[in-house]
Amino acid sequence: MLSPSLQPWLDKYLAYLKYEKNLAVKSIDSYQRQLNSAFSDLQLDSWVSFNSQDVRQILNQGRKKGLNPRSLALRLSSIRGFCDFLIKENMLIQNPASSVSAPKQGKPLPKQLNVDEMHQLLDIGADDILAVRDKAMMELMYSCGLRLAELVSLNLKSLEDQNQLRVTGKGNKERLLPIGKIAKQAVSNWLKVRPEFAKPSEPALFLSKQKNRISSRQVAKRMKLWATTQNIEQSVNPHKLRHSFATHILESSSDLRGVQELLGHANLATTQVYTHLNFQHLASVYDNAHPRAKKLK
């Protein structure tokens, strides 16, 4: 239970979030729960004396209660926000929570479909025009490791004689990607029926039934539908196809730099998350290939 001398300022902060910051009711309730839990055992007469040691003690108590790093980071963030308010109200000179580091959170590994699951997902019978379009979209995304935004922004001119794809990625950077044989055939099949969806002079490669450029939401919805239709046990979304592409290429080639280029990552560190999925294989390649890693005979 928060000390009666401290409670009024917490109430003022919650009112500030509601009336001045216009936060949603659920967000305010979340802040209230976090702060009530954080300050429940706090022994202070005034917020003026609240310091970084108190913040660390709150986090330590949270650890003892079994809170995971993500929950502790959320609690610390809530405390920082409250302390910023106290500074604004001249109750504190500086934020005591700003010098406390959030607990390290393990970076989640990318989730992907295995090769068999990818074959199962993409083994679509072209029974109608939507199936032809959807197969072309998914084959192209998996073949080239496209981001969802890159897929929906493709134009007819993005195809370089159907053997290569010119993609504009983040930062307006272009990259030229090879198109696999199966994806090339799927796109070719789509181009034969695309005129049924296309308005005159329409530049978009993939279109909706309304004859407009297909939206990101529509792509995600269609992939979710096909995952159910093809009896894929795990959920499927556009980014999972990109993850699957990166993982499968890396497992086969061990070429991290090559995968970086194909994905359009500006920083190799972004690509390196995929190495965790096949680290032992990469370590073996490194040991056999690097001149300073080879054992002396």
Side-chain angles (χ1 to χ4, degrees):
M1 187 73 178
L2 193 60
S3 168
S5 62
L6 302 180
Q7 186 66 50
W9 281 102
L10 184 56
D11 293 338
K12 287 181 181 180
Y13 177 58
L14 296 174
Y16 165 77
L17 294 179
K18 180 178 181 179
Y19 297 110
E20 294 193 39
K21 301 295 287 185
N22 294 315
L23 293 191
V25 173
K26 287 186 177 180
S27 297
I28 296 173
D29 288 344
S30 176
Y31 276 110
Q32 186 171 19
R33 285 194 302 272
Q34 287 293 332
L35 294 173
N36 282 340
S37 296
F39 300 141
S40 59
D41 300 322
L42 197 61
Q43 300 297 318
L44 288 179
D45 295 326
S46 169
W47 288 112
V48 174
S49 56
F50 187 56
N51 57 46
S52 58
Q53 185 58 41
D54 294 319
V55 178
R56 292 188 180 91
Q57 184 176 346
I58 289 170
L59 296 184
N60 286 333
Q61 289 172 341
R63 288 190 187 93
K64 291 177 182 178
K65 292 177 181 178
L67 293 184
N68 60 36
R70 185 181 181 87
S71 297
L72 291 171
L74 178 60
R75 182 154 299 180
L76 178 60
S77 176
S78 300
I79 295 171
R80 284 173 177 165
F82 176 57
C83 290
D84 283 338
F85 171 75
L86 293 179
I87 292 172
K88 179 175 177 291
E89 296 295 319
N90 297 315
M91 283 293 293
L92 288 174
I93 298 175
Q94 59 185 8
N95 193 324
S98 61
S99 61
V100 179
S101 300
K104 289 185 178 180
Q105 301 180 49
K107 199 168 187 178
L109 296 177
K111 296 179 180 179
Q112 75 290 329
L113 300 173
N114 61 40
V115 174
D116 289 338
E117 288 172 323
M118 283 303 312
H119 285 316
Q120 184 177 334
L121 174 66
L122 298 174
D123 187 20
I124 297 173
D127 296 326
D128 60 58
I129 192 170
L130 289 180
V132 174
R133 180 201 64 189
D134 294 348
K135 180 176 176 63
M137 289 194 303
M138 290 192 291
E139 289 282 7
L140 197 59
M141 177 168 272
Y142 176 56
S143 177
C144 300
L146 302 178
R147 299 179 177 96
L148 177 56
E150 293 170 348
L151 178 77
V152 299
S153 65
L154 290 175
N155 293 321
L156 285 173
K157 66 178 184 180
S158 302
L159 292 169
E160 302 269 334
D161 64 35
Q162 296 189 38
N163 290 313
Q164 292 180 309
L165 189 69
R166 189 172 295 277
V167 177
T168 302
K170 289 185 177 180
N172 217 27
K173 293 180 179 178
E174 281 195 351
R175 64 188 192 279
L176 198 60
L177 301 171
I179 304 175
K181 181 173 65 175
I182 297 175
K184 185 164 57 175
Q185 183 59 58
V187 172
S188 177
N189 292 340
W190 161 244
L191 291 176
K192 293 174 184 176
V193 297
R194 179 184 172 277
E196 296 183 36
F197 277 12
K199 298 175 183 177
S201 303
E202 171 59 59
L205 178 58
F206 294 112
L207 304 159
S208 69
K209 287 193 295 185
Q210 288 71 38
K211 299 187 176 182
N212 299 316
R213 183 184 296 275
I214 197 165
S215 69
S216 297
R217 180 175 295 182
Q218 288 171 316
V219 173
K221 185 177 179 180
R222 294 296 295 181
M223 287 190 184
K224 186 176 181 180
L225 175 65
W226 280 114
T228 302
T229 303
Q230 300 298 95
N231 297 314
I232 304 298
E233 292 186 1
Q234 61 172 303
S235 63
V236 174
N237 55 62
H239 206 60
K240 188 166 286 188
L241 266 65
R242 179 170 158 89
H243 283 317
S244 301
F245 161 85
T247 304
H248 299 165
I249 291 291
L250 187 57
E251 287 176 343
S252 299
S253 69
S254 305
D255 186 353
L256 194 61
R257 286 287 184 186
V259 173
Q260 178 193 5
E261 292 294 326
L262 291 169
L263 291 173
H265 285 160
N267 194 322
L268 186 62
T270 309
T271 315
Q272 281 178 323
V273 66
Y274 297 103
T275 64
H276 295 287
L277 297 167
N278 199 25
F279 179 78
Q280 288 189 346
H281 176 60
L282 288 176
S284 175
V285 171
Y286 177 86
D287 288 341
N288 291 326
H290 198 287
R292 301 288 280 183
K294 293 177 181 177
K295 294 181 180 179
L296 294 175
K297 294 180 179 179

